[in-house]
Amino acid sequence: MNEETAVAAVKVTHLPLIREPRGSLIFGEYGAHLPFIPLRYFIVFDVPAGETRGNHAHRRVTQALICLRGRVAVAVDDGQHRDEIILDDPARALIIPPRVWAAQTFGSGAMLLVLCSEVYDADEYIRDYDEFSRIVSAT
Amino acid sequence: MNEETAVAAVKVTHLPLIREPRGSLIFGEYGAHLPFIPLRYFIVFDVPAGETRGNHAHRRVTQALICLRGRVAVAVDDGQHRDEIILDDPARALIIPPRVWAAQTFGSGAMLLVLCSEVYDADEYIRDYDEFSRIVSAT
């Protein structure tokens, strides 16, 4: 099941949750839940409450953002539309394709898991908003 | 960097940690840190303290176990050697190849991330220890 956002290419995918007395399990698989095969993952934690991270776009990489603990507010912007998505449930994955500017504001104690469609390449980041605007308006 | 265990095929990989005033980031990539491309991931949490999960082996799937919070003790057994590995640091990934029997005992509040080399297939699990023993002794 997908949830739309005001930024057409950005979607929220609902992940299966299996809740049992001996523990809870949430899973995501390529195909059914993830539109890409993750070649890289990272986790972000110990972020001071209210701190904003990100503030860049990617030229090629698609990401899935999953809030494992606490609350992360994600601002997304494709140059034409903007939205803010609140992630506070590990059973929701926010799918952000390339050429979407994104910023994450962390709540207290939050932990964010990010799955990425490529390994790290510094040249693949767009860190300047004016450059981002030029790129997305040219396509 | 890899840490050996008493079960030759099971290793602990150390993941890069970037610690900054605005937050900490730990990453893992296919190739440098993960010997497989994850097609599936799952997280396990809300497990009663002291509960043991797992107690099975896989015919084909390799997994990476990363303890995101708290402490998980992982017992591994290849039919010849056994070991117990304590995971209490998200910068360590325990790599468990196929045909290793494994069980995870959760500490209070622990959260475990597991990356898997294949999507779910119930037939791929070995859930009976005697069958496991026959399979590993035949190879």
Side-chain angles (χ1 to χ4, degrees), chain A residues 24 29 39-40 45 120, chain B residues 24 29-30 39-40 45 120:
Chain A
S24 295
E29 293 189 349
L39 295 189
R40 166 184 169 87
F45 56 103
Y120 182 75
Chain B
S24 295
E29 293 189 349
Y30 169 65
L39 296 190
R40 167 184 168 89
F45 57 102
Y120 182 76

Side-chain angles (χ1 to χ4, degrees), chain A residues 21-68:
Chain A
R22 48 192 289 276
S24 295
L25 187 151
I26 293 171
F27 68 93
E29 293 189 349
Y30 169 65
H33 318 105
L34 299 174
F36 61 89
I37 294 175
L39 295 189
R40 166 184 169 87
Y41 82 91
F42 62 88
I43 55 170
V44 182
F45 56 103
D46 287 350
V47 178
E51 181 82 50
T52 298
R53 297 179 58 105
N55 270 319
H56 58 250
H58 292 273
R59 295 177 201 277
R60 296 188 312 264
V61 168
T62 297
Q63 294 188 324
L65 277 62
I66 298 123
C67 183
L68 298 175

Side-chain angles (χ1 to χ4, degrees), chain B residues 69-92:
Chain B
R69 186 169 35 151
R71 179 184 188 276
V72 178
V74 186
V76 290
D77 171 1
D78 66 0
Q80 289 201 305
H81 297 95
R82 294 180 182 194
D83 203 350
E84 184 182 67
I85 298 98
I86 305 299
L87 297 179
D88 58 1
D89 174 358
R92 292 170 78 228

